[in-house]
Amino acid sequence: MNEVRTAAGAQGSAEASVGAQARERIRAGSAEPTSGLAPGLVQANLIAVPADWAFDMLLFAQRNPKPCPVIDVLEPGQVESALAPGSDLRTDIPGYRLWENGALVDEVADATEAWSRHPDLVSFLIGCSFTFETGLLDAGIPIRHQEAGRNVPMYSTSIACRPAGRVHGNMVVSMRPIPARQVAEAVAITDRFPAVHGGPVHIGEPEQIGITDLDSPDFGDAPVIEDGDIPVFWACGVTPQVAIQASAPPFAITHSPGRMFITDAPEGTFRQ
Amino acid sequence: MNEVRTAAGAQGSAEASVGAQARERIRAGSAEPTSGLAPGLVQANLIAVPADWAFDMLLFAQRNPKPCPVIDVLEPGQVESALAPGSDLRTDIPGYRLWENGALVDEVADATEAWSRHPDLVSFLIGCSFTFETGLLDAGIPIRHQEAGRNVPMYSTSIACRPAGRVHGNMVVSMRPIPARQVAEAVAITDRFPAVHGGPVHIGEPEQIGITDLDSPDFGDAPVIEDGDIPVFWACGVTPQVAIQASAPPFAITHSPGRMFITDAPEGTFRQ
């Protein structure tokens, strides 16, 4: 699943890749959500924990592949992903969250200073469902939050993940309202992307997974739902952030929900 | 991939499952290779390392999913797999190898004593290609080593695995001679089992992957090759044993090649 072909020679060449250009803009200060940016390239969630917590976190991901499909793991202290030559995880994400003992203590645009205080961080990149939105759009399926210029709505659920050592927590899902006649096609398309959460975990009936108010997501923006839409829920890479809250490692850095790391890997890399 | 449904209530019931019965015979002393035993159930390779090495080993597996498809990871000191209720990894495998600093120091029929000296061992179960042999047989494809009552031949290759921290090494492959007219079907069938090595990594031309003498495998028994057979090579779960040799952790326990852990998980559990 992670034996990927990365786009050749992105950084430093006269023609920087689409991914490298997007990272460059972000490094220069852009803080926008990344849905719709660099279409066709895999986007990733970040979770970085101290080396002492790395086994538990990797095992949590291995045991919960739907919300936590690992596409790259960087060894302690490394910040350049093999999926994006020339990248720097400390600067190339539009927004970061800093966590101490399970509490969100700060949100920053640049994580270089925080990283320098924790030089043994092990970084996990987890596939993001933004990746398959291109496939949905290509099939004529509307992406309501993109049309409205909003971040995707995300919700904490009552679905328990399988724990691993000290790491535990419930699943977070992203929601896209899909016209009823196109739901089956949306399932078929996204099912082909197991490394970016794959098919939905739940369709309709939000209260069955503990979501009481669709208009008040726990992360991201309120949804735009049109007549005849069905709410469709995909496992979400924000799940490890909820696990960080529940499990309280001494320190962690994550991306801000909706603000992803853009790789050079074509989405087809991880397609079945 | 590891969200499996295990066969219900195997151990202790009046009707023990096929898997539990096989483990019971092994626990009582059977030391035979397990190819052909408990048809239709997933068989697994064992690799157990000290907790301090567990992250590197899990990352090695994550980075090399073809030879190292992880189907279960037990937390430090645990010996009962979720894939086989009532099992005990210390006794339910027909043969064990004990490793110290990369050297094979002993082969034993029962690992209880060795385990007691290293109570923090983290055990990895890795899918075994014996699992898909049932699918091949069902399609009328001969399994030569089973017909001859031999262990499958396995070879060290020149294919380097992607390293992870301190863990590195070359890939080991198993080989099955397949009649030329059935090779394509064997590929199609095994490709549907990604959690037990999936499709072949190489077909014909053994010397291209560093195998100079097919009749002298590095593990298992010499092959039976009939006229018109093509040697077909699948990534093999013995790969971590070669990585143990190359990487030299202070201690490790593995299964003996060809002598597997039989789970209660139906092979369909891991089929695509």
Side-chain angles (χ1 to χ4, degrees):
Chain A
M1 197 184 284
N2 63 330
E3 297 173 294
V4 296
R5 305 168 298 275
T6 52
Q11 199 73 5
S13 68
E15 303 174 60
S17 73
V18 171
Q21 290 174 23
R23 290 193 298 277
E24 187 58 41
R25 279 193 300 275
I26 290 164
R27 198 181 299 180
S30 170
E32 294 304 302
T34 54
S35 171
L37 285 189
L41 295 181
V42 172
Q43 299 199 15
N45 302 270
L46 168 71
I47 175 92
V49 296
D52 169 50
W53 279 71
F55 175 69
D56 286 359
M57 184 56 68
L58 184 53
L59 187 55
F60 183 79
Q62 200 271 340
R63 289 181 172 172
N64 300 282
K66 201 113 184 179
C68 305
V70 172
I71 59 171
D72 195 19
V73 182
L74 283 70
E75 299 191 23
Q78 294 187 350
V79 294
E80 178 183 6
S81 167
L83 299 177
S87 64
D88 187 331
L89 283 183
R90 300 169 297 186
T91 56
D92 292 1
I93 292 177
Y96 298 86
R97 294 180 147 191
L98 309 185
W99 304 82
E100 286 179 14
N101 301 309
L104 177 63
V105 293
D106 204 359
E107 299 215 47
V108 296
D110 183 315
T112 305
E113 191 277 328
W115 224 286
S116 70
R117 288 185 282 117
H118 301 273
D120 75 336
L121 288 176
V122 173
S123 296
F124 299 81
L125 293 179
I126 289 171
C128 169
S129 58
F130 289 171
T131 306
F132 60 52
E133 290 182 343
T134 311
L136 295 172
L137 286 169
D138 286 348
I141 297 172
I143 307 290
R144 305 281 186 222
H145 67 269
Q146 275 195 27
E147 292 172 355
R150 297 188 187 179
N151 197 350
V152 69
M154 294 163 270
Y155 306 83
S156 294
T157 73
S158 55
I159 304 168
C161 291
R162 193 176 155 202
R166 296 161 288 180
V167 179
H168 57 95
N170 283 0
M171 191 186 297
V172 177
V173 295
S174 64
M175 191 278 284
R176 289 166 188 77
I178 307 279
R181 65 181 174 80
Q182 293 178 301
V183 169
E185 193 172 6
V187 172
I189 290 168
T190 57
D191 199 49
R192 296 205 309 268
F193 292 88
V196 289
H197 307 300
V201 293
H202 201 77
I203 297 173
E205 301 293 333
E207 59 285 351
Q208 288 187 5
I209 55 172
I211 300 171
T212 51
D213 182 3
L214 273 185
D215 289 326
S216 302
D218 298 293
F219 311 94
D221 294 328
V224 178
I225 305 180
E226 300 197 0
D227 276 356
D229 282 355
I230 304 290
V232 180
F233 301 94
W234 280 267
C236 177
V238 173
T239 301
Q241 298 194 23
V242 169
I244 289 291
Q245 289 182 295
S247 314
F251 185 73
I253 300 178
T254 69
H255 70 291
S256 288
R259 292 168 172 81
M260 299 295 155
F261 178 69
I262 297 173
T263 74
D264 286 348
E267 61 178 31
T269 311
F270 296 106
R271 193 180 296 154
Q272 259 182 354
Chain B
M1 195 184 287
N2 63 333
E3 297 174 296
V4 297
R5 307 167 297 275
T6 53
Q11 199 73 6
S13 68
E15 304 172 61
S17 73
V18 171
Q21 290 173 25
R23 290 193 299 276
E24 187 58 41
R25 279 194 301 277
I26 290 164
R27 198 180 299 180
S30 171
E32 295 304 302
T34 54
S35 170
L37 286 188
L41 294 182
V42 171
Q43 298 199 15
N45 303 270
L46 169 70
I47 175 92
V49 296
D52 170 49
W53 280 70
F55 175 68
D56 286 0
M57 184 56 67
L58 185 53
L59 187 55
F60 182 79
Q62 200 269 339
R63 288 180 173 173
N64 299 280
K66 201 114 185 180
C68 305
V70 172
I71 60 171
D72 196 17
V73 182
L74 284 70
E75 298 190 25
Q78 293 187 350
V79 294
E80 178 183 5
S81 167
L83 300 177
S87 63
D88 186 331
L89 283 183
R90 299 168 298 186
T91 56
D92 293 0
I93 292 177
Y96 298 86
R97 293 180 146 191
L98 309 184
W99 306 81
E100 287 178 13
N101 302 308
L104 177 64
V105 293
D106 205 0
E107 299 215 46
V108 297
D110 184 314
T112 306
E113 191 276 328
W115 224 287
S116 71
R117 287 185 283 116
H118 299 273
D120 75 336
L121 288 176
V122 173
S123 296
F124 299 82
L125 293 179
I126 289 171
C128 170
S129 56
F130 289 172
T131 306
F132 61 51
E133 289 182 344
T134 310
L136 296 173
L137 286 169
D138 286 348
I141 297 171
I143 306 289
R144 305 282 186 222
H145 67 269
Q146 274 195 27
E147 292 172 355
R150 297 187 187 179
N151 197 349
V152 69
M154 293 161 271
Y155 306 84
S156 293
T157 72
S158 55
I159 304 169
C161 291
R162 192 177 157 201
R166 295 161 289 179
V167 179
H168 57 95
N170 283 0
M171 192 186 296
V172 177
V173 295
S174 64
M175 191 279 284
R176 290 165 187 77
I178 308 281
R181 66 182 173 80
Q182 293 178 301
V183 169
E185 194 172 5
V187 172
I189 290 168
T190 57
D191 198 49
R192 295 204 309 268
F193 291 89
V196 289
H197 307 301
V201 292
H202 201 77
I203 297 172
E205 302 292 334
E207 58 284 351
Q208 287 187 5
I209 55 172
I211 300 172
T212 52
D213 181 4
L214 272 186
D215 289 327
S216 304
D218 298 293
F219 311 94
D221 294 329
V224 178
I225 304 180
E226 301 198 359
D227 277 356
D229 281 356
I230 303 290
V232 180
F233 302 93
W234 280 268
C236 178
V238 173
T239 301
Q241 297 195 23
V242 168
I244 289 291
Q245 291 182 294
S247 315
F251 185 73
I253 300 178
T254 69
H255 70 290
S256 288
R259 291 167 172 83
M260 298 294 154
F261 178 68
I262 297 173
T263 75
D264 287 348
E267 59 179 33
T269 311
F270 295 106
R271 193 180 296 153
Q272 257 181 354

